[in-house]
Amino acid sequence: MKLSEKLIYVEFLMIIMAMAMSYGHVAEVPETAEAPDISGSARGRSIDTNWYDARATFYGDIHGGDTQQGACGYGNLFRQGYGLVTAALSTALFNDGYTCGACFEIMCTNDPQWCLPGSIKITATNFCPPNYTKTRDIWCNPPQKHFDLSQAMFLKIAKYKAGVVPVRYRRIPCRKTGGVKFETQGNTYFLMILPYNVGGAGDIKYMQVKGIKTGWITMTKNWGQHWTTGVVLTGQALSFRVTTSDGITKDFWNVVPKNWGFGQTFDGRINF
């Protein structure tokens, strides 16, 4: 082989190696697993930040009573970092739980008697169920867009006596402190993971788990933000691949040690 040919061959190999290093995490997905669409992982797709019309009410007391737990599955919102800065979404916004974790900016509008100036920023943590037996005050029934805020948040944009007010809202990026958290639930044959404290878009559309003895395993959304697999992974250190609704994918390597148990929470160390 001539010197010029050797140089071309070496340059070609370097290009191939660089591509493998850039996209190497994709190659680890086994042929039997469904790989996520990570075509937008480098830049993602922007969330829709346009303003839309809706209404807002409140539930629970001023200290957040009745706002804990809920249809997203987050549990103790104070312990998990959400506190009172939350809302339950109507069917039109909840999207079968896929909107759990998304963040919104909300302001009261077009009601000078009851509206207060300024806006609030909240995370979606619950579901406001429809009530088809009522003919009045059916704020959470489809197709209406509605936010049932914690009382503390409602009082920042409207007076208590208003009860319900017209609002404008838009999606905003979530600003979270620390890494994404992963809580283990279920049992040996039914592993369920609750990711929370998710920054960026906040809401998750796709999730995979990887043991030290397995390839990437596609998880199924069970309810709210609970993701499950029937593959037995006890005794293995676990990594997670998470894709948020804006198409950004991040890998959380070796988050869970091999001696993990159920009912534990682990810090992913990085965030979106």
Side-chain angles (χ1 to χ4, degrees):
M1 183 180 292
K2 297 179 180 179
L3 178 60
S4 60
E5 292 176 335
K6 288 183 179 180
L7 290 173
I8 294 172
Y9 180 71
V10 170
E11 184 178 2
F12 176 75
L13 285 179
M14 291 177 66
I15 293 172
I16 295 298
M17 291 174 65
M19 292 175 63
M21 290 175 65
S22 298
Y23 301 98
H25 68 287
V26 178
E28 292 185 287
V29 180
E31 293 182 357
T32 55
E34 179 185 353
D37 176 13
I38 59 172
S39 57
S41 61
R43 65 187 189 283
R45 298 181 297 275
S46 298
I47 58 175
D48 181 6
T49 57
N50 291 316
W51 288 94
Y52 296 97
D53 294 318
R55 288 188 177 88
T57 51
F58 67 86
Y59 72 119
D61 59 34
I62 194 63
H63 303 295
D66 296 329
T67 65
Q68 306 300 295
Q69 311 299 326
C72 290
Y74 290 130
N76 186 323
L77 300 178
F78 293 100
R79 181 178 63 82
Q80 294 172 335
Y82 299 109
L84 299 174
V85 191
T86 63
L89 307 184
S90 64
T91 303
L93 295 172
F94 189 66
N95 192 23
D96 196 28
Y98 278 100
T99 312
C100 289
C103 296
F104 296 85
E105 182 176 8
I106 303 170
M107 63 175 65
C108 185
T109 61
N110 301 322
D111 196 343
Q113 181 182 3
W114 302 117
C115 286
L116 298 176
S119 65
I120 57 173
K121 297 176 181 179
I122 57 89
T123 302
T125 60
N126 206 350
F127 174 53
C128 182
N131 186 341
Y132 297 108
T133 66
K134 298 175 64 176
T135 58
R136 296 182 57 189
D137 301 333
I138 49 175
W139 311 119
C140 290
N141 285 24
Q144 299 189 89
K145 296 179 179 180
H146 189 85
F147 294 88
D148 205 11
L149 302 166
S150 69
Q151 185 180 140
M153 288 298 101
F154 183 86
L155 294 179
K156 289 181 179 294
I157 60 171
K159 298 176 183 178
Y160 179 89
K161 290 185 178 180
V164 59
V165 291
V167 298
R168 296 274 284 168
Y169 76 93
R170 66 174 178 173
R171 283 285 302 270
I172 58 173
C174 297
R175 309 295 184 190
K176 303 300 180 185
T177 302
V180 174
K181 305 298 190 296
F182 298 89
E183 183 177 324
T184 57
Q185 301 177 10
N187 56 57
T188 301
Y189 304 101
F190 185 75
L191 173 62
M192 187 155 59
I193 299 294
L194 169 67
Y196 64 91
N197 195 52
V198 181
D203 49 344
I204 296 171
K205 73 168 186 178
Y206 195 96
M207 186 166 170
Q208 290 185 308
V209 61
K210 183 184 184 303
I212 55 176
K213 300 178 182 178
T214 75
W216 287 105
I217 300 165
T218 299
M219 305 189 79
T220 302
K221 191 173 81 69
N222 189 277
W223 65 279
Q225 274 298 342
H226 286 84
W227 296 78
T228 64
T229 179
V231 178
V232 177
L233 294 170
T234 50
Q236 297 187 52
L238 305 180
S239 301
F240 300 102
R241 175 172 289 165
V242 178
T243 302
T244 47
S245 66
D246 57 355
I248 294 178
T249 297
K250 285 187 180 290
D251 291 342
F252 299 81
W253 291 102
N254 300 316
V255 172
V256 179
K258 65 180 181 179
N259 62 341
W260 62 273
F262 296 98
Q264 295 179 317
T265 300
F266 301 91
D267 192 336
R269 297 181 293 276
I270 62 173
N271 215 316
F272 287 86

